[in-house]
Amino acid sequence: MSDPSAHHVGITVADLDRAVDFYTETFGFDIVAEFAVGGDAFAEAVAVDDASAAFAHLDAGDIVLELVAYDPAAPGEAPELNHRGATHLGLSVDDVAAFHADLDDDVETLSPPRTTESGTTILFVRDPEGNLIEVLDA
């Protein structure tokens, strides 16, 4: 067996174009690939009847951020951090306060930047789909 290594972090979204715009504009990520996948093998692999999906891969530094919009789409709710199975994307920046100050007014934050007991300054924001992103000091 080969040693596993990280390939990407995936986030399912309803509106791929809106999500791509958010991550490229807010975080400056570059698009590295856009493609679609469908067919029986894909539907069976993801266990969604008749599924197909559009994908965008973004260069997020040490990882690839994979945004995926499924057809058919299923409804969902914005995740809460304290719920079992909750996930979030963690991104580091040089200065959380400066990043916060430069955010567009329509970007939802859970609170202003806060320095925790560990000494790390954190800020949680939501993407347009409600997915959580933790921004922390590099």
Side-chain angles (χ1 to χ4, degrees), residues 17 20-21 31 46-47 52 54 61-62 66 74 77 83 85 100-101 112 130 134-135:
D17 292 334
V20 168
D21 288 347
I31 300 168
V46 298
S52 63
D62 292 336
E66 178 181 84
E77 296 181 20
H83 290 187
H100 179 252
E134 179 182 10
V135 181

Side-chain angles (χ1 to χ4, degrees), residues 23-96:
Y23 285 96
T24 57
E25 292 171 12
T26 303
F27 295 101
F29 296 161
D30 292 325
I31 300 168
V32 271
E34 294 179 289
F35 56 95
V37 178
D40 291 340
F42 178 71
E44 290 171 10
V46 298
V48 176
D49 291 340
D50 301 317
S52 63
F55 293 81
H57 282 185
L58 307 178
D59 181 353
D62 292 336
I63 62 164
V64 169
L65 175 59
E66 178 181 84
L67 302 174
V68 56
Y70 280 87
D71 183 22
E77 296 181 20
E80 297 297 329
L81 279 170
N82 62 339
H83 290 187
R84 183 180 60 239
T87 60
H88 67 274
L89 176 63
L91 300 171
S92 61
V93 297
D94 290 333
D95 185 334
V96 175

